Amino acid sequence: MGAIPASKKPAKKVCSPHFLTCHDLQWNSIDDALLLQAAPKKSKEIPPLVASSIVAFLSDNGYSGASEAFKKELGKKNKLDLLNAPSLLEVDSVVQDRPLGLGHAVGCVEPELADDEDAIAVLLPDDLVLPGGVLGRMAAAHARYGGSVLCAIEVPGEKISAYGVFDVEEVADDPEVKRVRGMVEKPPAAEAPSNLAAAGRYILDRKIFDALRTIEPGAGGELQLTDAIALLIEWGEPVHVVVHEGSRHDLGNPGGYLKAAVDFALDRDDYGPELREWLVRRLADD
């Protein structure tokens, strides 16, 4: 799912954030969507939302942005056959014609859903969530608990104030899943209700559309998805998070994008060591 970016950064003005590759890794969110569609039938009942800017490229190229070797490796890791990925991911285009926030973008999808589709998966491609496959675990949590399921990552206390933070309670016999009592946007570290921050993966109950129609627009007329999720919680609807034990990079700002690129490059066997040596020398010069 991709809303029209409100950012005026030059890269986003000339290229959709969905096509901004990080190092030589592409389309982490599309990989997650494919894994969801290739999973057992219960997961297939949750249609992933894909930004309209990707649709033509996927249709014309059959997901050729990933090499066959990459798809084999991804499928092997998740016990799936992704060489036939185009047949696994059915893509429909819904255009958000005005930059009115992520909540508005999600709301644009409602008329396209079938009557028996009771949840949607929303994937933000400029949130790089690794390793892939978290959406499958979220789908399993949705099947077990119902309602909406979000992805959470653990963030060190001194950095938590840069994120939307979950107020959670434990779920019996399921340490990976927490029930959400509320959300706090960028709290001071001392007031953060937990160390669990929101990442860009959501499975949303269809009641999210009722909530989006109820909330008031914020600055610039934008509908905030977090406001709608908070309203679901207020209504007593079940909202859970799956705690993802991995990493997350925010590619939506230059600093996050560069850190992600360096992070991936340092792990490369071919030029990672040389880059590390250069960084040590460069930092020593400061």
Side-chain angles (χ1 to χ4, degrees):
M1 179 71 207
I4 296 175
S7 169
K8 300 301 183 185
K9 297 182 178 69
K12 286 189 177 181
K13 289 177 71 176
V14 299
C15 177
S16 167
H18 318 100
F19 293 126
L20 288 174
T21 61
C22 177
H23 193 45
D24 56 3
L25 179 70
Q26 302 182 69
W27 299 356
N28 174 250
S29 60
I30 298 298
D31 298 336
D32 268 342
L34 287 168
L35 293 175
L36 179 67
Q37 291 300 85
K41 185 175 185 303
K42 279 189 178 179
S43 297
K44 289 188 180 181
E45 294 169 358
I46 304 173
L49 307 187
V50 181
S52 58
S53 54
I54 302 176
V55 172
F57 195 92
L58 282 173
S59 300
D60 292 344
N61 294 277
Y63 193 57
S64 63
S67 68
E68 287 203 0
F70 174 78
K71 285 184 278 189
K72 280 182 180 176
E73 182 60 29
L74 182 65
K76 186 162 123 188
K77 196 183 300 182
N78 295 278
K79 299 181 180 177
L80 300 171
D81 174 17
L82 296 186
L83 290 177
N84 297 313
S87 65
L88 296 174
L89 185 61
E90 296 180 7
V91 180
D92 292 317
S93 174
V94 178
V95 177
Q96 182 195 25
D97 56 0
R98 292 170 294 163
L100 295 179
L102 180 56
H104 175 262
V106 170
C108 292
V109 178
E110 185 181 16
E112 307 302 319
L113 294 181
D115 291 341
D116 61 347
E117 291 176 332
D118 62 356
I120 58 173
V122 180
L123 302 90
L124 304 184
D126 49 2
D127 257 338
L128 192 59
V129 180
L130 295 170
V134 65
L135 209 60
R137 299 198 302 278
M138 293 167 62
H142 169 77
R144 181 173 182 181
Y145 301 109
S148 298
V149 182
L150 318 179
C151 178
I153 56 168
E154 294 184 343
V155 174
E158 68 274 11
K159 298 180 180 179
I160 197 69
S161 59
Y163 296 87
V165 183
F166 296 112
D167 181 8
V168 298
E169 61 185 32
E170 298 296 321
V171 172
D173 303 322
D174 203 341
E176 189 184 44
V177 177
K178 316 288 183 189
R179 185 173 179 116
V180 181
R181 295 182 297 209
M183 299 175 68
V184 182
E185 188 65 29
K186 298 182 179 179
E191 299 175 16
S194 74
N195 68 337
L196 298 177
R201 303 289 183 271
Y202 310 80
I203 290 179
L204 300 172
D205 185 89
R206 193 162 184 153
K207 292 186 180 68
I208 193 67
F209 300 116
D210 295 329
L212 287 168
R213 282 189 287 270
T214 304
I215 62 173
E216 294 293 330
E222 293 190 2
L223 285 178
Q224 299 300 331
L225 186 61
T226 51
D227 290 345
I229 294 171
L231 186 56
L232 288 180
I233 297 170
E234 185 180 323
W235 288 346
E237 298 294 333
V239 176
H240 293 81
V241 294
V242 168
V243 181
H244 180 57
E245 294 184 0
S247 60
R248 178 252 189 188
H249 289 287
D250 179 6
L251 306 187
N253 67 80
Y257 183 87
L258 290 171
K259 282 188 282 188
V262 172
D263 197 10
F264 282 108
L266 288 173
D267 284 339
R268 289 289 297 250
D269 293 332
D270 44 5
Y271 49 79
E274 181 182 354
L275 175 61
R276 187 179 302 274
E277 291 176 6
W278 179 83
L279 284 171
V280 170
R281 292 197 305 271
R282 177 65 181 83
L283 293 172
D285 291 340
D286 288 343

